[in-house]
Amino acid sequence: MLKLFSFTKKDEDIKLKQLFNQVFQLLQGLLYKQAAIELEKLNSFSIDIKPNLDQFFEDIKRTGSLESILTVGIVVQRYRKQDKELANYLGNVARQVDNDSQAIEFYTYALQIDSSFTFALYNYAATKAKVNKYDQEIAQALTPFLKKEFIYPPFWEEANTETSFIETINLEIELVKEQDKATMLEVLSAQHVQAMGDPDEANKITKKMEAISKQPLEITRKDQIQMIEQQLSHKEERSEAWNIFSLNLSLLYLKERQYGNALAIISTIVTDRKVRAFFSYSPILYAICLYKTQNTKTAIELLYQFLNENPYNRYAFINLGKLYLMEKKWLNAFKYLLIGANLLEISGGIYLTKELEEKADSAVEQGNLPVAISYYEIIANETKAPQSWLKLAKTLEANQQTRESLEAVQKGLAIKADDPNLQEYAQTRYSTLMEEGTKAFRARKSQVALSLFSLALELFTTKAVLQKIISVYNAKNNESEIQHLTNLYDKLTADLLKERKQKQYHEYHMQAQTFLGQNNFVAAIEPLTNALEIHPTKKILSLLIDIYKRLHDQEGLDALIEKWNHLQDQQEQQKKLDIAKRQELKAANDND
């Protein structure tokens, strides 16, 4: 119940109480517009209504009705014009009822009151990013990404290697450093022999040798750059190995702040479309290089273009956000950082699709199917690749989630209907469901059979599965379902026949065109006549008339005209039957 207020005996106090009670009733009846109209009457009061309005608003907030809160809150805001927290709160409420434009108006108003009000800016960015987070949730999501440093992707790996790229480079560096160390010790050892007559000098050399022996091998980024540069010089230019070394060298140059060198290398990679397609994140590195070499506008344009082609790339979103952060474009910075952070939250902090797939495959091997399913769902929805939907479908099936498995197959086929692997899997599942359904029906397990046949129907709408389902409903004496399915069966039959005829028509037409191209008019007559019987068109008729005239075959021409008239009569009769059937169906629906 609405809390009773402490009112004075004055008439206006009584009217105010009545007004609030009336508004409360309207809100309970979901009559928000009418409630808003009634609240406009507050302007006519001469007494200070603010304390009672504030109390009324608190009561409305306790009801939990977002629309009611918004309706009253808009009025309260007029009396609390400098209340930035209220404006921000109302923006959050508007966003929760999917009114983003109104939410942005509230956040903008809060920022007009205080341009440094962080929560309002965060919420504004979240609205633009379509991320369902608010206030402190946004602050927590953004915190790991607010440092003004780019997030670099990992080194690109060579195929079929047991050790990673950088581990291999480090091993090479270690070998060189150990050889250098051995050479130094060898030289010092020789000096030690020569200094045997001078104990002090010999002792100094001994200590020096001990210090070198104990000195750990340190590998710096500069060592890595030098080793890759050296090995790159021996690679065939534009070969796959050369491209991999170049990409990884540019990554090290970036980390070492050698931006000019990085740009010089990465620009040779991204200009080659085939190479760019292989090194999927090379445009991100290129954009960072451009920004670091004072080409901010082009860097931003490049990242936008990349995201249009790769709308789930976490590296791109985070780095675009960081780029805007460095430029102090706060709204865009928080927007793109939030999108990236949200995607990372969904993927468990994993940036690369390849790594997601590896974890999913590993989870399948370990028998942890729910984890594998969660990863495959992310991959399938983001990449739209048929093979990802197939993996998801198989894993769902293994986890005994039959319906979800079939839905995954359908989604994959919707993207690429002719994918052979998906088609084969779908056909296998369909056959299995039909066999199991038939066995269940024979065992008089009608409901089980119906469930299995219905699942098969979701995969493929065929005459065979419709017949099976009709058989089940016949056994259950369900006339309404039988009629519905029979109509569906008849339509499917008609559609298949139409499709078959259309295919035949094109085949006949192509045969005729081949013969006509060879000036073999006699041979063209048969396929054209067959095509005419399927689709009596004036175009085919004209071709045949022309042929018969060329051949001076009056008898054939007369027979053609007679056939044409007969086909026209058939078409007219069919039209009348179709009209009668539609009228009959309309009358039956009207009676119902």
Side-chain angles (χ1 to χ4, degrees):
M1 289 294 293
L2 181 62
K3 182 176 178 180
L4 296 176
F5 306 108
S6 299
F7 294 100
T8 66
K9 298 282 186 183
K10 292 181 180 179
D11 290 342
E12 282 199 319
D13 290 333
I14 296 170
K15 286 181 180 179
L16 185 60
K17 179 181 177 181
Q18 290 172 342
L19 176 61
F20 283 143
N21 284 332
Q22 185 179 359
V23 170
F24 185 79
Q25 295 300 321
L26 289 169
L27 292 172
Q28 281 193 318
L30 310 182
L31 300 171
Y32 305 114
K33 288 185 179 179
Q34 188 61 41
I37 291 170
E38 289 298 316
L39 283 169
E40 291 297 322
K41 294 177 181 178
L42 290 171
N43 296 327
S44 64
F45 285 83
S46 59
I47 60 172
D48 182 9
I49 63 166
K50 188 175 176 299
N52 289 330
L53 178 58
D54 288 342
Q55 182 60 60
F56 180 66
F57 184 45
E58 292 303 314
D59 289 336
I60 293 300
K61 284 163 69 175
R62 280 192 285 273
T63 67
S65 169
L66 297 175
E67 290 284 4
S68 298
I69 293 169
L70 203 54
T71 301
V72 179
I74 290 170
V75 177
V76 175
Q77 182 78 67
R78 295 175 197 163
Y79 292 89
R80 289 157 55 176
K81 292 182 178 179
Q82 295 304 306
D83 192 336
K84 62 184 181 183
E85 283 83 7
L86 174 60
N88 181 65
Y89 169 76
L90 292 175
N92 290 348
V93 175
R95 189 144 55 98
Q96 289 175 71
V97 297
D98 297 322
N99 194 336
D100 287 355
S101 59
Q102 190 175 34
I104 287 173
E105 288 178 10
F106 280 120
Y107 298 140
T108 303
Y109 183 68
L111 289 167
Q112 286 172 351
I113 298 169
D114 181 359
S115 60
S116 64
F117 186 24
T118 309
F119 278 170
L121 187 58
Y122 282 171
N123 286 315
Y124 193 145
T127 310
K128 289 289 188 181
K130 304 294 181 185
V131 171
N132 191 28
K133 292 185 185 296
Y134 303 87
D135 299 329
Q136 194 59 45
E137 289 178 314
I138 300 173
Q140 290 173 355
L142 287 174
T143 297
F145 305 104
L146 292 180
K147 291 182 180 178
K148 293 184 180 180
E149 297 172 359
F150 289 112
I151 303 291
Y152 294 109
F155 291 101
W156 196 271
E157 301 297 336
E158 292 184 273
N160 304 317
T161 53
E162 293 183 4
T163 56
S164 71
F165 177 88
I166 204 63
E167 285 174 341
T168 303
I169 294 299
N170 287 344
L171 287 171
E172 297 284 349
I173 295 169
E174 283 181 13
L175 182 62
V176 170
K177 284 183 175 281
E178 284 173 355
Q179 288 174 344
D180 290 346
K181 189 175 184 179
T183 301
M184 288 175 63
L185 288 172
E186 190 177 333
V187 170
L188 287 170
S189 179
Q191 291 176 357
H192 185 270
V193 171
Q194 294 175 357
M196 291 298 290
D198 185 347
D200 290 337
E201 182 63 22
N203 188 44
K204 286 179 182 179
I205 294 172
T206 299
K207 288 181 178 180
K208 194 173 184 180
M209 289 173 68
E210 288 174 352
I212 290 171
S213 298
K214 292 178 181 179
Q215 186 176 356
L217 287 175
E218 290 185 5
I219 298 175
T220 66
R221 199 174 285 147
K222 288 182 179 179
D223 292 329
Q224 292 170 337
I225 289 173
Q226 187 176 359
M227 177 59 69
I228 294 173
E229 286 176 335
Q230 181 183 334
Q231 295 198 13
L232 184 61
S233 64
H234 300 299
K235 305 288 181 187
E236 182 184 349
E237 192 168 339
R238 295 293 178 181
S239 65
E240 184 176 318
W242 187 90
N243 285 324
I244 290 172
F245 272 71
S246 296
L247 183 79
N248 289 333
L249 180 58
S250 69
L251 181 57
L252 281 170
Y253 278 145
L254 274 173
K255 292 180 177 181
E256 195 61 21
R257 301 173 188 268
Q258 295 182 29
Y259 304 125
N261 288 342
L263 181 61
I265 291 183
I266 198 69
S267 59
T268 65
I269 292 174
V270 295
T271 51
D272 188 321
R273 183 178 294 179
K274 290 182 180 178
V275 176
R276 186 174 69 243
F278 183 68
F279 300 110
S280 56
Y281 53 70
S282 57
I284 299 174
L285 296 182
Y286 187 37
I288 295 172
C289 287
L290 288 170
Y291 175 76
K292 291 294 188 180
T293 52
Q294 308 303 311
N295 199 339
T296 303
K297 183 181 177 183
T298 308
I300 290 172
E301 288 173 354
L302 185 63
L303 283 175
Y304 275 128
Q305 182 183 340
F306 181 78
L307 282 169
N308 282 333
E309 299 167 3
N310 305 271
Y312 295 95
N313 191 286
R314 293 155 177 81
Y315 281 116
F317 276 118
I318 293 297
N319 283 315
L320 179 57
K322 283 180 172 285
L323 193 155
Y324 276 122
L325 198 68
M326 295 171 199
E327 290 294 296
K328 297 182 179 180
K329 303 284 181 64
W330 309 119
L331 181 59
N332 277 338
F334 299 146
K335 172 186 173 180
Y336 291 108
L337 287 175
L338 270 173
I339 295 172
N342 196 54
L343 288 171
L344 283 167
E345 185 179 319
I346 292 168
S347 66
I350 298 171
Y351 278 87
L352 294 175
T353 304
K354 180 183 175 183
E355 189 178 344
L356 277 172
E357 192 161 9
E358 287 171 356
K359 285 187 175 293
D361 292 344
S362 176
V364 170
E365 290 174 7
Q366 295 167 10
N368 195 345
L369 299 183
V371 169
I373 288 167
S374 66
Y375 284 135
Y376 284 139
E377 282 179 338
I378 296 168
I379 297 164
N381 282 302
E382 290 185 3
T383 65
K384 311 296 183 188
Q387 64 268 23
S388 300
W389 288 108
L390 182 58
K391 280 189 173 185
L392 175 59
K394 287 182 175 180
T395 312
L396 286 164
E397 182 190 0
N399 203 43
Q400 299 182 342
Q401 293 175 255
T402 303
R403 186 171 295 281
E404 291 84 354
S405 171
L406 299 181
E407 286 174 359
V409 175
Q410 289 171 319
K411 287 178 180 178
L413 288 171
I415 293 166
K416 198 170 190 307
D418 60 349
D419 182 77
N421 295 322
L422 271 173
Q423 281 281 2
E424 182 184 356
Y425 179 74
Q427 191 60 56
T428 302
R429 292 297 310 279
Y430 171 81
S431 300
T432 303
L433 289 166
M434 289 291 281
E435 288 171 12
E436 291 177 356
T438 302
K439 287 178 184 177
F441 185 56
R442 287 172 181 167
R444 297 187 178 182
K445 297 177 180 178
S446 298
Q447 203 56 42
V448 174
L450 184 61
S451 175
L452 291 165
F453 290 141
S454 297
L455 289 170
L457 184 65
E458 289 183 21
L459 276 177
F460 296 114
T461 304
T462 65
K463 292 167 68 175
V465 70
L466 284 171
Q467 286 173 334
K468 292 286 188 183
I469 297 175
I470 289 169
S471 297
V472 176
Y473 279 119
N474 265 323
K476 295 165 73 73
N477 293 317
N478 191 326
E479 290 295 334
S480 61
E481 286 295 337
I482 291 170
Q483 186 59 51
H484 166 69
L485 290 165
T486 302
N487 291 339
L488 185 59
Y489 179 90
D490 291 341
K491 184 180 183 304
L492 178 63
T493 303
D495 289 344
L496 290 172
L497 182 61
K498 185 178 178 181
E499 185 181 333
R500 193 177 298 118
K501 281 186 174 182
Q502 190 70 22
K503 186 178 179 183
Q504 287 177 340
Y505 174 82
H506 284 296
E507 287 174 357
Y508 288 138
H509 195 268
M510 290 299 293
Q511 286 174 18
Q513 289 298 324
T514 302
F515 290 133
L516 289 172
Q518 299 166 354
N519 290 325
N520 191 346
F521 300 110
V522 174
I525 289 174
E526 184 181 351
L528 281 173
T529 303
N530 291 335
L532 187 71
E533 288 178 352
I534 294 172
H535 286 310
T537 64
K538 289 183 178 179
K539 182 180 178 181
I540 299 295
L541 177 66
S542 298
L543 282 171
L544 281 166
I545 289 172
D546 185 58
I547 290 171
Y548 282 121
K549 284 182 177 179
R550 281 173 179 268
L551 298 173
H552 304 289
D553 185 353
Q554 187 61 42
E555 187 179 342
L557 183 58
D558 292 342
L560 172 65
I561 298 302
E562 187 178 346
K563 181 185 283 290
W564 171 260
N565 292 332
H566 177 67
L567 290 170
Q568 292 299 299
D569 289 341
Q570 281 185 328
Q571 277 194 331
E572 193 62 34
Q573 288 175 9
Q574 187 60 48
K575 284 180 183 177
K576 289 178 180 178
L577 285 172
D578 291 341
I579 291 169
K581 190 177 286 186
R582 284 198 295 270
Q583 289 174 343
E584 184 181 339
L585 184 62
K586 184 178 183 301
N589 290 334
D590 290 343
N591 289 333
D592 290 342

